[in-house]
């Protein structure tokens, strides 16, 4: 196993006397920089973490309070420091045992006490993956003649997949909290500079979450466990969603983004629409990196062939183009090209859906990434007109009293802030057991229930509440969870929950779910009236 030195990135340090405004300008110039070290001579004395630093500047009066102060007032004075000769696996064990906070922090690498560079949890994750993959390869070479070679390799890959899953979960939980708080800040009456800071926090957090998603997917793919879930998918709608998602980012980057669809606008195919969107997102994100102040075209052409639908996707940029010697390995995990992990995941996803993916240089300037695949044609029935808009606009004038059950303090703060924004009163508890006890002693109109909690989780608590005697058993319960895939959501609804809202919580989505749940509850007028009478009394 290699040492920490291979993870080291030489980031130019700053002195403790540097001003906060200078550091902020540097973070703007270097969008990929997650941490900046602070040194006294060649001795590290602190670390500036992008998210924490920008959160402070984005806070009330943050710019006036900190902008002209020395960075020593804002740095972490006790960063993790590790000697370059420490083995990666030994350091990984220490980090994992230190909890989620340690995973989110950068660390300083020294040699004989002198500053040498910095490392991040993302780099550590990649290195552990690469190290494990290298060990698996060596083991495969040694046991090539043995009949159980395939079984041993698959077992190792699945163990690695479980490790990456666990690390991803530990990192997603606090990042979801950062995104939720940033979303609340963005809705406050801030000046343009503060809003820009908040947007930087959101963009950086989403970039890290996307990197984590790709790392988890890549580990699953190498373990033969990549999850592909085909279902009837309207293809024009996929491109409309991509246009809506990427237009603001392209505008921010000064890039002209053209998203096009060619084919029957009512056509649908039986494929994994979320995975198809993920591949487009990876390829468009990669193209935007190389088309600064240029153009990116993302198109999908569809045609019916018998009972099949053929999809031809092209993402073209007018950047510097690709190194001809590296095109063949561009989608390999070992590729040193920027974005190699996202491209490797895209290859696994397209191949998992039975297609092929490739890249080539354009005849003039730039490069084109392309993929083709074929899927069964689907018929998508027209849905009944939705009353979602009415539900969103419904005024919560009755000021419902809400119980919030979540073991994460940041999530509780966010949920309470949203309830206050919606005109609701609220109380909080730390787990399902406390929620069960609370509803038996005090009246509530609605419960916001986390799923993964100690002692009693959200599903168990919901089942226990539904088994209680009297009106309390009918309190509407909304699941708040980062695990909101269709199968999970169906399970939560089957145990008696009224709706499922994914973390990080989007205010509009939560308000819509609360209104829908309370509207259904209002149909049981006698029960609802009795609860409100108890609360009023």
């Amino acid at each position: 196993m290699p040492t920490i030195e291979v993870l080291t990135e030489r980031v130019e340090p700053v002195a403790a006397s540097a001003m906060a405004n200078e550091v902020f300008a540097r973070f703007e110039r270097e969008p990929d920089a997650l941490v900046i070290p602070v040194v006294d001579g060649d001795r590290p004395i602190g670390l500036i973490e992008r998210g924490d630093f920008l959160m402070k500047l984005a806070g009330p009066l943050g710019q006036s309070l900190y902008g002209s102060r020395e960075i020593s007032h804002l740095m972490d004075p006790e960063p993790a420091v590790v000697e370059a000769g420490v083995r990666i696996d030994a350091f990984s064990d220490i980090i994992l045992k230190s909890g989620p906070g340690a995973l989110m922090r950068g660390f300083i690498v020294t040699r004989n006490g002198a500053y040498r560079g910095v490392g991040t949890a993302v780099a550590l994750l990649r290195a552990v993956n690469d190290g494990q993959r290298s060990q698996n390869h060596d083991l495969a070479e040694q046991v090539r003649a043995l009949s159980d070679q395939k079984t041993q390799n698959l077992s190792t890959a699945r163990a690695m997949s479980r490790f990456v899953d666990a690390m991803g979960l530990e990192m997603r939980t606090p990042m979801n909290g950062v995104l939720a708080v940033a979303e609340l800040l963005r809705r406050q009456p801030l000046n343009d500079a503060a809003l820009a800071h908040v947007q930087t926090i959101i963009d950086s957090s989403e970039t890290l979450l996307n990197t984590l998603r790709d790392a988890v997917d890549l580990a699953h793919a190498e373990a033969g466990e990549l999850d592909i879930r085909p279902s009837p998918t309207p293809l024009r709608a996929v491109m409309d969603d991509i246009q809506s998602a990427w237009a603001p980012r392209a505008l921010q980057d000064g890039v002209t983004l053209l998203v096009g669809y060619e084919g029957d606008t009512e056509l649908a195919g039986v494929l994994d629409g979320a995975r198809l969107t993920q591949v487009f997102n990876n390829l468009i994100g990669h193209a935007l990196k190389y088309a600064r102040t240029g153009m990116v075209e993302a198109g999908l052409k569809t045609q019916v062939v018998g009972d099949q639908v053929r999809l031809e996707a092209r993402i073209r940029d007018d950047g510097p183009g690709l190194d001809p010697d590296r095109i063949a390995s561009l989608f390999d995990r070992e590729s040193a090209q920027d974005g190699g992990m996202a491209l490797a995941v895209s290859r696994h996803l397209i191949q998992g859906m039975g297609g092929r993916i490739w890249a080539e240089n354009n005849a003039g300037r730039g490069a084109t990434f392309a993929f083709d695949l074929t899927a069964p044609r689907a018929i998508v029935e027209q849905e009944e007109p939705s009353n979602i808009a009415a539900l969103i606009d419904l005024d919560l004038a009755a000021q419902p009293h809400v119980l919030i059950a979540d073991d994460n303090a940041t999530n509780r703060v966010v949920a309470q802030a949203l309830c206050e924004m919606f005109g609701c009163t609220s109380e909080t508890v730390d787990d399902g057991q406390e929620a069960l006890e609370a509803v038996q002693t005090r009246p509530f109109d609605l419960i916001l229930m986390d799923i993964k909690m100690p002692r009693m989780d959200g599903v168990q608590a919901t089942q226990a509440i539904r088994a209680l005697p009297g009106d309390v058993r009918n309190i509407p319960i909304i699941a708040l969870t980062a695990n909101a895939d269709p199968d999970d959501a169906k399970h939560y609804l089957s145990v008696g929950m009224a709706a499922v809202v994914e973390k990080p919580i989007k205010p509009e989505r939560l308000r819509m779910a609360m209104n829908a749940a309370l509207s259904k509850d209002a149909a049981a007028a006698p029960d609802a009236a009795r609860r409100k009478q108890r609360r009023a009394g």
Side-chain angles (χ1 to χ4, degrees), residues 286 290 322-323 326-327 330 334-341 343:
H286 186 274
Y290 297 99
L322 304 169
D323 182 348
R326 308 184 75 169
I327 289 180
L330 194 61
E334 296 82 358
S335 174
Q337 291 257 7
D338 186 24
M341 184 161 59
L343 295 180

Side-chain angles (χ1 to χ4, degrees), residues 20 33 74 95 113-114 126 135 147 174 188 195 228 245 252 283 314 350 385 394 402 410 440 478 491 497 506 514:
L74 293 169
I95 289 292
R126 289 173 176 163
Q135 289 181 18
S147 61
Q188 301 305 310
L195 284 173
I228 305 289
Q252 177 182 319
L283 298 182
R314 305 292 184 266
I350 292 300
L394 182 62
V402 180
T410 301
Q440 295 180 81
I478 296 175
H491 177 56
M497 292 182 167
K506 297 293 190 296
M514 292 173 66

